[in-house]
């Protein structure tokens, strides 16, 4: 995810958009489809990278379920960080990144220069990264949601990891964020601390709201968590086109992103109906959150959650199936 969650922020089981405590079964072996009795051999194999946040897993598993059960492909789903996923376009180990959070640098390298990848269009999801505090803090300290006042409250956010500065908690270390530059360029008395995962972010945010603990953290939408825990976003300087071009000089909020799908050039050229399905895949933040919530909080495996959504939304996904 770019910045994230890009941002770049982040389960109670979760994992980010896997999500930690929830079991997401993306093992390439178990992900392969069960052959229909009397059916011909598989139509081929599609390799979908799984990046470490549950929203991504939700999208990937719905597409994988349809590839397997409607178009009869095998599907491999290796768990990879974002950078490694893009490297897979060149090595041939990845066909699809189902949810890309910006990554203009990687697009330039792998699409424009190396020409081993192409965009397969929007997922329909709108991605927004930002800084948040638990709602209780915004209720008690109404001006805390303006970045200009953060230094006034820095002492409240101190931790053993941040020392004499306030802590800004980030998620998985592979997430690309502007947070360190923002802290420096906005002259904030804070230190970015990496929590390690989406799950760590969710656990910290849940405890912060329930136990009225101070917490400033990086997070993103779409995410099911907003339906469970009340959060308040901190207003950073307004985003304007180009304000984040130089990573070292960023002093503005994150951009709203139209999340897109990236595929290998080879897959786009030879993937047939599998590529067409990936290209046609388009749903809402609410759709993704429903599947992610089932994975994280309702005891379903990623494949079971995908199956549940598919069975309840026939009209929507049938439009994605190649004619």
């Amino acid at each position: 995810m770019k910045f994230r969650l890009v941002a770049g922020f982040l389960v109670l089981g979760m994992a980010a958009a896997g999500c930690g405590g929830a079991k997401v079964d993306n093992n390439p072996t178990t992900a392969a489809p069960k052959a229909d009795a009397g059916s011909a051999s598989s139509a081929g194999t599609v390799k979908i990278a799984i990046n470490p946040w549950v929203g991504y897993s939700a999208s990937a598993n719905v597409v994988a379920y349809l590839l397997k059960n409607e178009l009869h492909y095998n599907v491999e789903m290796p768990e990879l960080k974002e950078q490694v996923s893009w490297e897979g376009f060149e090595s041939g180990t990845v066909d699809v990144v189902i949810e890309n959070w910006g990554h203009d640098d990687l697009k330039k390298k792998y699409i424009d220069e190396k020409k081993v990848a192409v965009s397969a269009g929007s997922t329909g999801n709108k991605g927004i990264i930002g800084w948040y505090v638990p709602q209780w803090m915004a209720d008690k300290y109404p001006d805390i949601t303006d970045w200009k006042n953060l230094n006034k409250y820095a002492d409240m956010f101190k931790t053993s990891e941040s020392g004499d500065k306030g802590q800004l908690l980030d998620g998985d270390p592979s997430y690309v964020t502007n947070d360190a530059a923002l802290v420096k360029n906005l002259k904030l008395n804070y230190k970015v601390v990496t929590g390690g995962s989406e799950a760590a972010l969710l656990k910290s945010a849940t405890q912060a709201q329930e136990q009225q603990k101070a917490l400033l953290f990086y997070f993103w939408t779409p995410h099911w968590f907003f339906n469970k825990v009340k959060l308040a976003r901190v207003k950073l300087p307004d985003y304007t086109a180009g304000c984040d071009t130089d990573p070292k000089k960023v002093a503005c909020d994150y951009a709203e992103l139209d999340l897109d799908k990236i595929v290998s050039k080879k897959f786009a050229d030879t993937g047939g109906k599998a590529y067409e399905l990936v290209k046609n895949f388009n749903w809402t933040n609410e759709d993704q959150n429903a599947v992610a919530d089932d994975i994280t909080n309702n005891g379903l495996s990623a494949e079971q959650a995908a199956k549940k959504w598919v069975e309840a939304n026939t009209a929507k996904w049938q439009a994605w199936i190649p004619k």
Side-chain angles (χ1 to χ4, degrees), residues 59-99:
S59 294
N61 276 275
V62 166
V63 171
Y65 186 87
L66 294 172
L67 284 169
K68 292 185 287 184
N69 292 281
E70 294 296 320
L71 299 182
H72 309 295
Y73 283 83
N74 288 307
V75 181
E76 295 180 2
M77 304 175 77
E79 297 182 1
L80 303 170
K81 304 295 187 181
E82 291 167 273
Q83 175 77 37
V84 179
S85 299
W86 285 70
E87 293 170 0
F89 293 139
E90 186 171 24
S91 66
T93 57
V94 171
D95 295 318
V96 179
V97 166
I98 203 66
E99 182 177 284

Side-chain angles (χ1 to χ4, degrees), residues 228-308:
K228 307 291 185 181
V229 176
K230 291 185 178 181
L231 307 174
R233 186 174 179 182
V234 174
K235 178 176 173 54
L236 295 171
D238 290 341
Y239 174 87
T240 57
C243 70
D244 57 353
T245 300
D246 186 343
K248 296 181 180 179
K249 297 181 179 180
V250 177
C252 60
D253 209 342
Y254 291 95
E256 177 176 328
L257 299 172
D258 184 13
L259 305 185
D260 61 346
K261 301 153 288 190
I262 308 297
V263 302
S264 72
K265 180 65 165 56
K266 180 179 180 181
F267 181 66
D269 291 341
T270 66
K273 289 186 176 182
Y275 168 67
E276 291 299 320
L277 171 58
V278 171
K279 184 178 180 181
N280 293 340
F281 169 68
N282 187 282
W283 66 352
T284 66
N285 286 12
E286 291 72 22
D287 289 323
Q288 185 185 95
N289 288 341
V291 178
D293 189 25
D294 278 337
I295 294 171
T296 304
N297 301 308
N298 296 330
L300 301 185
S301 69
E303 186 168 15
Q304 289 169 338
K307 180 176 185 289
K308 177 182 174 181

